[in-house]
Amino acid sequence: MNVIEKLKYHEENKLEDWIYSGDKESRKFSKELVKFSKDNLNEIKQYCINTMPSEFSSLSIIYEAFSEYSIDFNEFLFEEIQRVVYLAKNKSIKPDYLEVLTDIETEAIYSKTESIYIDIMEFLTSNLNLEKEPKFNVELLEVISWFLIEFDEDDEISESKIWINRITALADYADVNVKIKAREVLKESDISSALSPLSFIEKIKSIFN
């Protein structure tokens, strides 16, 4: 099977064989995928467009391989982030399926293509909205939390103040579940932000969240 055929197989197989394959085998295919894509990126782009994110998606293989073994595809990964978020935003997929974006390794994007990292964070946080479905906001915050892993407040990224303000707005004014998730993201990312105190009921809910 060629690369595309293997991806289709894993998609139809719901990643069952992929999950149970050894590290050596998965690394071998990931590198094969990266090498193939450098000469055939349009084929990979079309494959992704034709593949809807799901609980077990072959997109995760592509995202992980591209972000772990090369920086050449970071712009394409940003395009995919936009596509998947818009699918969830327009309710073409469940918000839960945003999780596939957390298969993108963030370290090289942050350290070697900072401008793309800034674009990604601007896009992700700009899609947080008090009027959006709470589940969408919660799942998007989960993705944002993943991309904030590499972020250091001491780094001079002026745009970061806007990102933090958007998360803080949800931490203060959103539906209780979104509010709790936003506060969790700020805390886990060691981001200092003055927040209004939770009500007694919200504190109870946060314990069982």
Side-chain angles (χ1 to χ4, degrees), residues 54-72:
S54 60
E55 185 176 4
F56 300 104
S57 173
S58 58
L59 293 171
S60 64
I61 298 173
I62 298 171
Y63 298 166
E64 186 175 346
F66 279 11
S67 55
E68 187 171 352
Y69 293 105
S70 178
I71 62 169
D72 296 339

Side-chain angles (χ1 to χ4, degrees), residues 111-129:
S111 62
K112 297 180 181 178
T113 56
E114 188 179 278
S115 63
I116 296 176
Y117 177 83
I118 290 171
D119 287 343
I120 289 171
M121 288 302 300
E122 170 61 27
F123 172 77
L124 290 174
T125 58
S126 70
N127 276 280
L128 293 171
N129 193 313

Side-chain angles (χ1 to χ4, degrees), residues 69-83:
Y69 293 105
S70 178
I71 62 169
D72 296 339
F73 305 106
N74 287 351
E75 188 65 50
F76 167 69
L77 289 172
F78 177 38
E79 292 173 7
E80 277 297 286
I81 289 168
Q82 294 173 82
R83 182 179 75 91

Side-chain angles (χ1 to χ4, degrees), residues 152-164:
D152 186 336
E153 264 196 295
D154 293 331
D155 289 347
E156 295 181 359
I157 300 179
S158 59
E159 294 88 348
S160 66
K161 293 178 182 178
I162 299 172
W163 313 337
I164 293 167

Side-chain angles (χ1 to χ4, degrees), residues 19 33 43 53 80 83 88 92 103 112 122 129 132 140 152 179 188 200 205:
I19 290 168
L33 170 60
E43 284 190 54
E80 277 297 286
R83 182 179 75 91
S92 297
D103 286 308
K112 297 180 181 178
E122 170 61 27
N129 193 313
K132 284 291 176 189
L140 185 58
D152 186 336
K179 185 182 287 189
E188 288 179 351
F200 176 75
K205 286 188 176 181

Side-chain angles (χ1 to χ4, degrees), residues 2 14 78:
N2 62 31
K14 295 186 177 180
F78 177 38

